[in-house]
Amino acid sequence: MGTQASIEKIPGVHCAVGESPLWSAREGAWYWVDILGRRVWRLDAASGEQRIWSTAEMPACLALAESGGLVAAMESGVFALTLDAGEHAQASLLAALPGLKTGMRFNDGRCDRQGRFWSGTLVLDQPELRAEGALYRYTREQGFSAPLVSNLVVQNGLGFSPDGRTMYLSDSHVSRQTIWAFDYDTDSGTPTRQRVFVDMNGQRGRPDGAAVDVDGCYWICGNDGGCLLRFTPEGKLDRSIDLPLLKPSMCSFGGPDMDTLLVTSIAAGRLPEDTESGALLLVRPGVQGMPETAFRA
């Protein structure tokens, strides 16, 4: 089941909680965030040049904006980000989430195939099991939706099939470790018929961030398992790639030919099996991925 793949470490990158890798074909560049570091990173694919911007709030996830720039879900809501020559990202609030409790923030997210922005919330401090997180849809016309999926502990793994008619979502918490699939109404942006897609309790690692390839297969980061796992649309594991780090956090397809996975990770301490904690990897798995849809205002 193990698959050989080309794996390259990007030098000079170390993140406390690396997340939300994103390819901009327009710029030929990768973006990602360090949540706890309150940073947005950029890597020029051709030159290798890196840029870093600090943010006032913890940035959780990114999407391209159709009009240019980035959209980010952060601690309090959704922001438009302007990254200029300075060291600090300029963040303009698009919408605050009504009723967001103190001690919560957004987590994993992306746009659906129609350009609606999605992200979920979690409780930062988890000494006890608190399933208070939920998944929300945001558009400029309608603002935030009501919670469309509730009772989440650590929302993750959001993804959409190539035709946009299936939505995927996971809960990474050790008490859950489950990936769900939903029927997705592309006209209204509404998920229905939630069902278990993969029970990750029987797999390596906990389900974290995800990506979908052109075959409709779902790639998930096996956090604490040091691997990438690929599941067919029927939920069958058909490929696994071992990584030189213990806690991969999210993967996303990109590159000029859309055949490269950028994999972020979480700093987990130096363990014998975890030689690149908090690093950034470029993985070429031998398949092409789906480009991310930009946020449409």
Side-chain angles (χ1 to χ4, degrees):
M1 188 68 67
T3 300
Q4 296 296 317
S6 167
I7 301 176
E8 174 188 355
K9 178 194 173 187
I10 301 302
V13 177
H14 179 82
C15 294
V17 180
E19 278 285 3
S20 197
L22 177 67
W23 169 252
S24 170
R26 179 189 302 176
E27 301 176 36
W30 295 96
Y31 289 94
W32 68 97
V33 302
D34 182 350
I35 297 178
L36 294 185
R38 289 183 167 85
R39 291 178 171 182
V40 176
W41 290 68
R42 182 185 187 274
L43 171 69
D44 185 277
S47 68
E49 179 187 7
Q50 297 175 20
R51 289 285 312 278
I52 304 172
W53 293 266
S54 62
T55 57
E57 293 187 4
M58 288 185 284
C61 58
L62 301 173
L64 301 170
E66 194 174 48
S67 58
L70 300 173
V71 173
M74 299 171 70
E75 292 178 58
S76 60
V78 175
F79 293 77
L81 293 186
T82 300
L83 307 176
D84 53 25
E87 298 180 354
H88 305 286
Q90 304 302 310
S92 176
L93 180 66
L94 298 177
L97 181 63
L100 184 64
K101 296 179 180 178
T102 301
M104 298 186 72
R105 66 163 169 81
F106 281 95
N107 199 45
D108 178 80
R110 60 170 20 107
C111 287
D112 65 13
R113 302 294 179 204
Q114 292 70 45
R116 308 178 187 96
F117 187 69
W118 286 79
S119 186
T121 56
L122 54 71
V123 177
L124 284 169
D125 188 12
Q126 288 280 357
E128 300 177 356
L129 178 64
R130 295 176 62 185
E132 298 178 13
L135 183 69
Y136 298 87
R137 181 187 66 233
Y138 172 75
T139 66
R140 289 294 294 265
E141 298 81 10
Q142 300 176 339
F144 277 109
S145 67
L148 292 173
V149 182
S150 300
N151 192 38
L152 299 171
V153 186
V154 182
Q155 173 269 336
N156 258 312
L158 186 65
F160 296 87
S161 62
D163 65 5
R165 297 187 179 279
T166 302
M167 185 182 86
Y168 300 99
L169 182 72
S170 74
D171 194 320
S172 299
H173 195 269
V174 292
S175 66
R176 298 286 177 82
Q177 301 193 74
T178 300
I179 307 168
W180 297 282
F182 301 74
D183 291 345
Y184 189 74
D185 186 318
T186 57
D187 291 330
S188 66
T190 305
T192 57
R193 205 170 72 85
Q194 180 177 358
R195 67 264 187 198
V196 173
F197 177 62
V198 177
D199 182 352
M200 284 285 287
N201 287 283
Q203 304 291 344
R204 290 172 58 189
R206 297 178 294 108
D208 210 317
V212 175
D213 64 27
V214 294
D215 299 321
C217 294
Y218 178 85
W219 292 80
I220 189 80
C221 288
N223 200 318
D224 290 332
C227 62
L228 294 173
L229 303 177
R230 181 191 194 234
F231 293 94
T232 68
E234 295 73 39
K236 178 183 178 181
L237 177 66
D238 79 339
R239 194 174 302 186
S240 65
I241 297 174
D242 292 334
L243 301 174
L245 45 79
L246 186 65
K247 297 180 74 66
S249 53
M250 189 173 176
C251 55
S252 182
F253 280 98
D257 298 317
M258 290 300 296
D259 61 353
T260 302
L261 280 166
L262 190 72
V263 182
T264 54
S265 67
I266 298 171
R270 294 293 180 179
L271 301 176
E273 68 273 29
D274 183 23
T275 60
E276 304 292 355
S277 181
L280 185 76
L281 304 178
L282 290 173
V283 179
R284 296 174 178 85
V287 299
Q288 288 182 307
M290 295 295 300
E292 296 291 334
T293 305
F295 175 67
R296 292 171 180 162

